Amino acid sequence: TTEIYTLSLHDALPISPGQIPRSVEVLCEGDLADKAKPGDRVQVIGVYRSFPPPLQEFTNGVFPAKLVATNITPIKEMIEAPFVSDDVKNIREIAARTDAFSLLARSFAPSICGHEKVKEGLLLQMIGGTEKNLKNGTHLRGDINVLLVGDPSCGKSQMLRFVMNIAPLAISTTGRGSSGIGLTAAMVRDAGSRDFTLEAGAMVLADRGFICIDEFDKMGVNDRVSIHEAMEQQCVSISKAGMNVQLNARCSVVAAANPIYGTFDPTLDLPKNIGMPDSLLSRFDLVFVVRDLTTEAIDRKIATQDRKSVV
């Protein structure tokens, strides 16, 4: 039995801005086959060598290189750097304070003025819930999904960017630039063997992490349907081209969207302003309405905010 995996290198190697993430094919033979599935993070040890290209009329003389695997070790949990003594001291000092939660909430995205409740909800999402497996076999997810709906120029995208920067594993995408297949999984025909291979989407790659979806209202209706199962059951089921697989998508979704009329209309009720089906809204545990109240006091407070001090 021989399997060919495509190993993405964008998680392992830092990429300079403007460069395209690279990938390399990994050849797995014998007992190394079926050791990993799309979305898993593995440590591969092997021999990096070149292979002759398929026979064709014209060739450029370049032999493509592949990695012949000799050992595959799945990485179950992300390995984080250990805390130094100063970090442990500061963590215990903050934990001893009675206002530890409010302090962390004020420190969340300090460049954004106001939105205290939104920052508290995003902080709870970063901390995460408790995943439970009941005795009767019921699985309760521990990841929290957050939706921000509000007027433009309220700092929703900046808060999403703050989540993406401080999270250990986060993938960012937009509603217009993503499709249902790109978020879940895609069936791709291999150019050499003409066989179908499975490539993981953004939600599968963000397993045990966060996925930030900006401009969520710009996403098509058919593309939204594909993420229903991933948000509630935290898995992606694919039944195409003779394959019937389930991929883990245990990620927290933080999405930002504009109201259906561009700005929030206070004369209408909340469902008509959001403009999303109830089946999709029920997947979000926290829904925040962000308003841009154009009053002189609020505008003056935003203009005079000290961005360097967080108390």
Side-chain angles (χ1 to χ4, degrees):
T1 304
T2 302
E3 284 197 1
I4 298 179
Y5 294 151
T6 301
L7 180 65
S8 178
L9 301 179
H10 67 275
D11 287 338
L13 301 177
I15 301 174
S16 302
Q19 291 187 357
I20 301 175
R22 301 300 179 181
S23 61
V24 61
E25 289 188 356
V26 181
L27 273 64
C28 304
E29 298 181 351
D31 58 343
L32 294 180
D34 294 331
K35 272 294 189 70
K37 57 184 178 180
D40 292 346
R41 283 164 178 79
V42 295
Q43 182 187 49
V44 180
I45 300 176
V47 180
Y48 190 71
R49 59 183 293 257
S50 59
F51 288 83
L55 296 177
Q56 52 189 359
E57 295 182 1
F58 301 97
T59 178
N60 55 3
V62 178
F63 281 25
K66 300 179 182 178
L67 185 65
V68 182
T70 57
N71 183 35
I72 296 179
T73 304
I75 301 176
K76 299 297 183 182
E77 299 292 339
M78 292 189 62
I79 301 176
E80 298 182 0
F83 293 111
V84 297
S85 59
D86 292 340
D87 294 336
V88 177
K89 178 182 177 181
N90 295 331
I91 290 173
R92 290 178 177 174
E93 182 180 350
I94 294 177
R97 296 179 54 167
T98 56
D99 60 340
F101 180 74
S102 60
L103 173 64
L104 294 177
R106 292 195 303 270
S107 304
F108 192 95
S111 61
I112 305 299
C113 180
H115 307 311
E116 290 82 6
K117 294 297 182 182
V118 179
K119 293 180 180 180
E120 290 179 0
L122 292 175
L123 176 61
L124 292 175
Q125 184 191 35
M126 297 294 298
I127 298 173
T130 303
E131 184 178 354
K132 296 182 180 179
N133 292 314
L134 304 182
K135 295 181 180 180
N136 57 3
T138 305
H139 173 74
L140 301 179
R141 60 181 173 87
D143 298 309
I144 301 174
N145 300 323
V146 179
L147 174 63
L148 307 180
V149 180
D151 299 332
S153 70
C154 283
K156 301 188 299 295
S157 300
Q158 292 296 326
M159 285 188 278
L160 261 66
R161 190 175 298 275
F162 188 83
V163 172
M164 184 182 63
N165 290 334
I166 68 174
L169 173 61
I171 293 179
S172 178
T173 182
T174 59
R176 180 64 68 183
S178 60
S179 62
I181 297 176
L183 289 174
T184 55
M187 302 295 297
V188 180
R189 187 186 292 272
D190 187 47
S193 61
R194 306 298 296 172
D195 294 334
F196 282 100
T197 58
L198 194 62
E199 289 193 1
M203 299 190 74
V204 179
L205 292 176
D207 187 34
R208 297 298 186 187
F210 296 85
I211 178 170
C212 305
I213 306 177
D214 201 1
E215 304 293 343
F216 193 67
D217 56 308
K218 308 298 190 301
M219 188 181 297
V221 178
N222 297 330
D223 300 332
R224 291 181 189 172
V225 174
S226 61
I227 67 175
H228 282 204
E229 179 191 11
M231 292 181 63
E232 187 62 39
Q233 304 301 325
Q234 294 198 316
C235 64
V236 175
S237 301
I238 299 295
S239 298
K240 295 180 181 179
M243 292 186 182
N244 187 9
V245 295
Q246 270 194 344
L247 306 177
N248 291 324
R250 297 162 295 184
C251 60
S252 297
V253 179
V254 50
N258 291 332
I260 189 172
Y261 298 110
T263 58
F264 196 86
D265 190 355
T267 60
L268 300 177
D269 54 357
L270 190 59
K272 291 184 179 179
N273 269 299
I274 295 178
M276 294 184 186
D278 296 338
S279 59
L280 183 60
L281 283 177
S282 64
R283 265 69 175 179
F284 289 99
D285 305 293
L286 298 175
V287 179
F288 293 102
V289 177
V290 184
R291 295 293 308 278
D292 184 14
L293 301 176
T294 56
T295 61
E296 182 181 355
I298 296 178
D299 291 345
R300 190 175 298 276
K301 180 182 177 182
I302 295 175
T304 59
Q305 182 195 13
D306 187 6
R307 298 173 180 267
K308 297 183 180 179
S309 62
V310 177
V311 181

